[in-house]
Amino acid sequence: MDLTGRTVVVTGASMGIGEAIAEAFAGRGAVVVAAARSAGRLEALAARSGGRIVPVVADVVSDGDVRRLAEASLARAGRVDVVVNNAGIGLYGPVDALDLDAWRRCLEVNLLGPVRVLQAFLPGMKAAGAGTIVQISSVLGDFSIPFSGGYAATKHALDAITDSLRLEVAPFGIRVVNVRPGSTATDFRTNALGTPDVGRIRVARVPAALVAERVVRAVERRSRDVYSTWRDRAMCRLAMRWPRLMDRILTRAYRIARSAQTG
């Protein structure tokens, strides 16, 4: 797909992966409608874009905000070619002490939010007979790790929604891309709910710009599933094919991490 002149909507675009995705699409010549809760960050992003990024303040947990986002996007260009469901929030902590209110918030943002966005934009795509939906999931949609069960559950569920959606919208000429980033150099963990430092493993993090480039390339090349790195893909394959080996690897890694914290 040639992205020049296309209209792309990106949620959670004020920071991190979402910000990088908005800039990457704008760099390919697309007009980007960038949505998030932070007006100041969105305005700064738009100012850097030379007019290619249009800021819209919207919270994906609000029916009214999402409806206004869809209306503003359609008013801007008459149609929306790509929707990137990126808005999300982290949640960390042991399952037996999981804060249920925090988990409900995580579910609202990570699962119901994307579905709300889909329901707002898909009618227009179906009418046009074309479009691309990009779901920003996580490697934790393929497997889970200690102290991330609540967050991983939202991504497992999002993957199930994505798999069904892909089959449902294919007859309308709409494609669905599932993106599973691994550890990325953003403030995602800092802004997470729960106890972000519990059992934390120090792993190499990739730049958000790398994830964004993978996303843009996937849309251009009509890809189906995307991982940030070959290591992320390999970890997911390992978890699916040899789950007991993966259990041993993760148990040992977290034992070492906790020893370092308490030592």
Side-chain angles (χ1 to χ4, degrees):
M1 177 192 290
D2 182 359
L3 291 169
T4 305
R6 303 280 187 170
T7 301
V8 180
V9 177
V10 182
T11 66
S14 62
M15 63 179 71
I17 291 175
E19 180 181 18
I21 290 172
E23 291 179 324
F25 274 109
R28 292 290 212 281
V31 175
V32 180
V33 180
R37 294 180 299 162
S38 174
R41 286 179 176 271
L42 288 177
E43 289 167 4
L45 174 63
R48 297 196 303 269
S49 73
R52 301 216 66 89
I53 296 179
V54 180
V56 175
V57 177
D59 188 341
V60 297
V61 307
S62 165
D63 291 336
D65 279 11
V66 172
R67 184 172 59 253
R68 285 189 291 273
L69 171 62
E71 291 169 353
S73 302
L74 291 171
R76 175 65 179 76
R79 62 180 284 175
V80 171
D81 300 288
V82 181
V83 173
V84 182
N85 255 325
N86 169 75
I89 190 168
L91 173 64
Y92 298 95
V95 173
D96 63 356
L98 196 62
D99 185 319
L100 296 184
D101 287 334
W103 193 27
R104 289 187 187 95
R105 172 65 181 172
C106 192
L107 285 164
E108 240 339 305
V109 176
N110 294 359
L111 183 59
L112 275 67
V115 172
R116 189 175 283 111
V117 171
L118 291 171
Q119 291 177 346
F121 283 95
L122 277 174
M125 287 186 171
K126 287 181 178 180
T132 302
I133 301 292
V134 180
Q135 303 277 73
I136 306 299
S137 181
S138 167
V139 293
L140 297 188
D142 277 353
F143 66 93
S144 194
I145 58 177
F147 311 110
S148 293
Y151 171 75
T154 68
K155 294 302 184 179
H156 277 281
L158 182 63
D159 282 356
I161 290 288
T162 299
D163 288 341
S164 292
L165 177 71
R166 180 180 289 115
L167 301 175
E168 293 167 1
V169 301
F172 298 92
I174 300 169
R175 294 181 298 109
V176 179
V177 182
N178 198 8
V179 182
R180 297 181 178 91
S183 185
T184 309
T186 70
D187 291 332
F188 181 78
R189 193 171 189 115
T190 302
N191 297 324
L193 304 174
T195 50
D197 288 329
V198 62
R200 185 172 184 177
I201 297 178
R202 303 291 178 178
V203 297
R205 303 195 296 169
V206 303
L210 184 149
V211 179
E213 179 60 26
R214 297 281 192 272
V215 170
V216 173
R217 197 181 306 168
V219 173
E220 291 175 328
R221 297 181 180 182
R222 303 176 184 274
S223 302
R224 183 183 189 277
D225 296 287
V226 179
Y227 295 86
S228 300
T229 68
W230 67 266
R231 292 182 182 85
D232 291 338
R233 184 187 294 272
M235 287 287 285
C236 292
R237 294 288 188 273
L238 175 63
M240 287 187 285
R241 295 190 64 181
W242 294 287
R244 290 186 180 181
L245 174 59
M246 188 65 161
D247 287 349
R248 289 197 294 271
I249 292 171
L250 290 172
T251 299
R252 182 175 185 275
Y254 274 87
R255 185 182 298 120
I256 293 171
R258 298 195 71 176
S259 295
Q261 284 183 324
T262 58

